[in-house]
Amino acid sequence: GQTDLPPLLLLHCDDLAPLHAALVGHAPRCSALGLPEHRTLPDRVRAFVDDDAEMAAAARWCRERVETHPRGRYAVVLQDMGADRARFETLLRREFDCLAANYDRLPVNFATGYPLGAMPIVRDALRILALAGDEADLEETLALLRSRFIAALPRVTERGETVARRLRELAAQRLPTRLLREGLDELLPPSRRPGPWDAVHVLASRGLRLRQPRYPSAWLEIYHCLLDAWQWGRWVALDSLEYQELQHWEAALDTFATLDDVLGKIDFDSSLTKLRRLLEDQPFQPQTTDRALQVLGPLETTGLSFDGLWIMGLDADNWPAAARPNPYLPLGMQRELRMPGCDAS
């Protein structure tokens, strides 16, 4: 019976769906607890000519706040974390001088991560593997010449620029890897040839032909052989973030090896496409200690309090958010019943 139900306490429940509201109505005693209301107006409202100007000002505000009151808690709310995070992080790193040697010392926690495949050490591993396929992206290949995670290549200067210019004269974004490997041969003196990109032929001499379809778990041996030939990740001092990226990469390969029954035998290019898709779907969020600054989305600030808060993008196009009514129900009925998303309010 109704008297047998325990009392109900609602914590920070801003809006209840009709079903939940009906269930709550059957509780004998119900009370709600929320944060105290702050009726003070924002200390400042600013106008900017564009998004870049506002981001630069917000990044400067973050640095000034942390320098003035290092024990405070501050937050920046981005309207679109997916589109704006990378730009804003770059500006923060410039303000806090964390672009090079102090890369892992940025005093910021981000609410969302990046796709694992976009992280530097994993990205360069994929570039190496792509050179073993039939075709590869020219600019991605040339970017390998600047990678700090590869010990097998000398630090190229003039010779590297000459090779890059000659390859770009072919005026194609994707080139046969045979041409790319021939171009890379010119980076090394004759005494040091063949280069690490020749590992494809070394594998073939051992009977590991890349054109032969294999199960995903069987491709891992070839991946490791190709990366070892480039001395990828060796003799390089990794910071804490890069070490975490490497651990997530190994975990992703373990996951890839479990797809034998799902994918069956696939060729090398198909295996690399599947691996890229797996890495794109896996977000990488580094483990960090509690930091002074939080970068959040609009919904993630619910129930939180800060000593300073900057909400970006409060223009007529973004605030309030556009209505998102249910397309399968009559709009008039949704508004009459005050269903979530039926209008901007």
Side-chain angles (χ1 to χ4, degrees):
Q2 184 174 358
T3 56
D4 297 332
L5 296 175
L8 186 63
L9 177 63
L10 302 179
L11 298 177
H12 311 309
C13 293
D14 298 328
D15 205 358
L16 289 177
L19 177 60
H20 296 157
L23 291 173
V24 167
H26 287 279
R29 295 194 308 277
C30 178
S31 55
L33 180 63
L35 291 174
E37 293 188 10
H38 296 281
R39 299 187 179 278
T40 56
L41 294 175
D43 60 348
R44 186 172 300 177
V45 176
R46 305 182 185 182
F48 300 93
V49 294
D50 55 29
D51 293 342
D52 291 334
E54 182 179 11
M55 283 191 181
R60 187 165 54 252
W61 174 85
C62 290
R63 177 183 55 79
E64 293 170 352
R65 286 296 182 107
V66 171
E67 289 178 350
T68 306
H69 303 288
R71 295 184 179 275
R73 285 178 54 83
Y74 310 101
V76 174
V77 176
L78 300 180
Q79 298 297 329
D80 188 342
M81 285 288 287
D84 297 337
R85 171 182 162 158
R87 286 191 298 161
F88 189 54
E89 180 176 351
T90 300
L91 292 170
L92 286 173
R93 291 191 178 280
R94 288 176 181 169
E95 286 291 336
F96 286 94
D97 192 22
C98 294
L99 280 170
N102 300 323
Y103 193 85
D104 59 340
R105 298 182 183 178
L106 186 68
V108 180
N109 278 335
F110 292 90
T112 59
Y114 286 114
L116 181 58
M119 305 315 295
I121 191 169
V122 177
R123 176 198 61 205
D124 287 352
L126 292 174
R127 288 169 173 169
I128 291 172
L129 297 179
L131 272 176
D134 294 330
E135 287 186 343
D137 185 278
L138 172 59
E139 295 304 326
E140 293 282 299
T141 302
L142 295 177
L144 276 176
L145 308 182
R146 301 185 294 273
S147 173
R148 61 177 292 266
F149 305 109
I150 297 173
L153 283 179
R155 286 293 165 257
V156 293
T157 52
E158 239 177 87
R159 187 178 295 180
E161 293 300 324
T162 302
V163 170
R165 185 167 55 252
R166 190 173 304 164
L167 290 172
R168 288 192 177 107
E169 287 174 355
L170 298 175
Q173 181 178 355
R174 294 185 63 81
L175 294 173
T177 51
R178 175 183 56 81
L179 290 178
L180 291 173
R181 291 195 293 265
E182 289 175 358
L184 293 176
D185 275 338
E186 300 182 27
L187 295 175
L188 301 176
S191 59
R192 294 192 56 181
R193 297 176 187 172
W197 40 87
D198 202 51
V200 176
H201 304 299
V202 176
L203 289 172
S205 67
R206 293 167 47 189
L208 299 175
R209 299 185 181 277
L210 270 65
R211 294 187 179 276
Q212 177 183 348
R214 290 178 173 80
Y215 288 108
S217 59
W219 282 116
L220 296 191
E221 177 186 0
I222 292 179
Y223 292 167
H224 287 303
C225 289
L226 293 171
L227 295 174
D228 288 344
W230 287 74
Q231 300 181 42
W232 168 79
R234 294 185 183 180
W235 322 115
V236 177
L238 302 179
D239 61 34
S240 61
L241 295 182
E242 292 163 348
Y243 182 72
Q244 291 180 53
E245 293 168 19
L246 194 58
Q247 288 181 312
H248 282 71
W249 159 262
E250 295 293 343
L253 291 183
D254 291 340
T255 301
F256 185 67
T258 66
L259 301 178
D260 289 357
D261 293 336
V262 177
L263 300 178
K265 290 186 177 181
I266 52 179
D267 60 26
F268 179 80
D269 288 333
S270 297
S271 76
L272 201 54
T273 299
K274 300 296 183 183
L275 178 61
R276 280 200 181 98
R277 188 172 302 168
L278 175 67
L279 296 171
E280 288 171 0
D281 292 340
Q282 181 173 340
F284 172 73
Q285 181 71 312
Q287 297 178 358
T288 56
T289 57
D290 191 24
R291 304 292 177 91
L293 287 169
Q294 310 288 325
V295 178
L296 310 165
L299 299 180
E300 291 150 351
T301 58
T302 303
L304 302 179
S305 59
F306 303 96
D307 298 303
L309 179 67
W310 185 302
I311 304 178
M312 299 183 62
L314 290 183
D315 55 46
D317 293 332
N318 296 314
W319 198 271
R324 299 182 62 184
N326 190 314
Y328 300 105
L329 298 175
L331 181 57
M333 183 188 74
Q334 294 183 58
R335 289 176 173 170
E336 181 182 353
L337 298 177
R338 305 303 306 144
M339 297 179 64
C342 65
D343 57 31
S345 63

